[in-house]
């Protein structure tokens, strides 16, 4: 017997019950970004592997363990994008969008792929909405990005459920000096480190700071802290950011252990976290990556951005019951027709109603059926009215209009008056 085909583990179907919430989230965000003057960019899902290896960094979990990489028929190594920043940088360079100091404020959305251990809020195909800004070096734009996300949480009714964590990673030189100091300290305690941290000591020591291991965390209590190694410019940048957040009334927690898992960051890093989703509580994360473009061979160009996890935000909206009821609004009317001729007339009538009544949600019965069965379908659809078109109504160019959600009487309405009648009903609803 053949095996039933299933989706790949960690790659989810988004079923019709959920898509309205996705669209609500995406459209709320898109109109907000529009209002702030950000423009959408659409990027390929596949890129050359080298882009991510160089951009995100060898030694990061994403590059070392999580990429979906394969050789195509031309024997080129390609990778399903694990995130959107590297691809955006590649695109702006390729099209000269940042040349001559041009400012770019861009956003994107779409699926990303990481071979992670699937669990609630962590998937192998997941979706991000991300923003990347180029050629603005100051803390004002870091603050604007945070303000924009803060406005989104409020628009979605999530303002009380997320908190902002903030840190500065300093310049790459300062980070280098700090890294040496951290490694020197941890090497003295090598045997007490968890296995993952022992490995990271060689590949990516800063990531040890956000180890979940209790023993490692205890050791870190006395470790040198990054804040003590910040260079003056980074310190001034960080102060500038905090002052702007204070001015806007955006509260934050400084988290000196926030380092992020991708190599390209320097200076500002931030995460919006919630305690309502269990272990996968980061709903949005980002920071500054001023060195990334030059790493790809471009002129030094400041960059800063963030990405949010759509699945996690949908989960949060559902958990907190913040999905607006109106998203699942039923049809205004369900048109039943009886007999071949009436069915034909019903389709034409439906099209003219759709022309005349903007926003009309009208279902037309498909597959014929008795009066009883069509009426049952009309009721089950949740529609507010059943419109009835049989031979008699056809002859008189009228329909029966039966309210399905209250006990008002059925009315007979002429075809010419039906659009106006439905428009009034929609307004009153
Ligand atoms: P990231 O922290 O790797 O950053 O991912 C950003 C967000 O995507 C996370 O905070 C989380 O909400 C979501 N996310 C990540 N992995 C998964 C997963 N396996 N399942 C579900 N959701 C996930 C970046 O990707 C950077 N490119 C962000 C950025 C843009 N920084 C500057 N510009």
């Amino acid at each position: 017997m053949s095996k039933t085909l299933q989706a790949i583990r960690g790659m989810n179907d988004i079923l019709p019950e959920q898509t309205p919430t996705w669209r609500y989230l995406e459209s709320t965000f898109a109109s907000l970004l529009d209002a702030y003057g950000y423009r959408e960019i659409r990027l390929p899902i596949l890129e050359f592997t080298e882009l991510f290896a160089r951009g995100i960094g060898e030694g990061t979990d994403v590059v070392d363990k999580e990429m979906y990489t394969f050789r195509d028929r031309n024997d080129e190594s390609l990778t399903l994008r694990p995130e959107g920043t590297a691809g955006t940088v590649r695109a702006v360079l390729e099209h000269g969008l940042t040349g001559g100091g041009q400012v770019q404020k861009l956003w994107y959305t779409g699926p990303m792929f990481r071979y992670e251990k699937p669990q609630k809020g962590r998937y192998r195909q997941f979706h991000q909405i991300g923003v990347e800004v180029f050629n603005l070096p100051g803390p004002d734009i870091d603050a604007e990005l945070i303000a924009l996300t803060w406005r989104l949480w409020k628009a979605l009714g999530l303002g009380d459920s997320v908190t902002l964590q903030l840190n500065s990673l300093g310049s790459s030189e300062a980070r280098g000096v700090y890294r040496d100091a951290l490694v020197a300290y941890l090497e003295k305690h090598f045997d007490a480190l968890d296995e993952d941290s022992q490995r990271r000591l060689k590949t990516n020591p800063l990531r040890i700071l956000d180890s979940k291991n209790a023993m490692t965390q205890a050791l870190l209590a006395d470790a040198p802290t990054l804040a003590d190694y910040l260079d003056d410019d980074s310190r001034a940048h960080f102060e500038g950011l905090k002052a702007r957040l204070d001015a806007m009334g955006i509260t934050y927690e400084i988290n000196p252990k926030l380092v992020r898992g991708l190599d390209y960051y320097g200076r500002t890093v931030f995460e919006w976290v919630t305690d309502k989703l269990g272990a996968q509580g980061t709903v949005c994360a980002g920071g500054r990556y001023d060195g990334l473009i030059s790493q790809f061979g471009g002129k030094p160009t400041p960059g800063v951005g963030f990405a949010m996890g759509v699945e996690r935000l949908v989960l949060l909206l559902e958990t907190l019951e913040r999905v607006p009821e109106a998203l699942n609004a039923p049809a205004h009317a369900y048109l039943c027709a009886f007999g071949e001729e009436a069915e034909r007339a019903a389709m034409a009538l439906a099209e003219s109603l759709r022309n005349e009544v903007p926003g009309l949600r009208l279902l037309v019965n498909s597959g014929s059926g008795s009066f009883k069965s069509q009426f049952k379908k009309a009721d089950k659809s949740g529609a507010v009215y059943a419109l009835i078109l049989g031979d008699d109504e056809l002859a008189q160019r009228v329909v029966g209009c039966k309210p399905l959600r209250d006990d008002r009487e059925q009315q007979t309405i002429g075809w010419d008056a039906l659009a106006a009648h439905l428009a009034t009903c929609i307004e009153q609803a």
Side-chain angles (χ1 to χ4, degrees), residues 8-28:
I8 298 165
R9 201 160 105 84
M11 304 207 177
N12 301 319
D13 300 308
I14 300 151
L15 296 176
E17 286 71 34
Q18 281 198 307
T19 48
T21 312
W22 281 65
R23 276 164 52 183
Y24 162 65
L25 195 68
E26 287 158 357
S27 63
T28 307

Side-chain angles (χ1 to χ4, degrees), residues 62 66 82-86 108 112-114 116 119 121-128 130-132 260-262 264-265 271-272 280-289 304-313:
V62 172
E66 297 172 359
E83 56 100 58
T85 309
Y108 52 84
M112 308 290 161
F113 303 84
R114 295 183 194 176
E116 296 196 83
Q119 52 190 282
R122 169 158 293 185
Y123 310 104
R124 289 181 174 171
Q125 174 172 330
F126 61 98
H127 297 74
Q128 287 185 340
V131 168
E132 314 292 350
R260 312 271 305 116
L262 314 164
Y264 46 63
Y265 294 111
E271 290 191 355
W272 285 98
Q280 308 307 322
T282 305
V283 291
C284 173
R288 187 161 272 284
Y289 48 89
V304 58
F306 65 80
M308 48 184 78
V310 179
E311 282 81 358
R312 291 186 191 177
L313 286 169

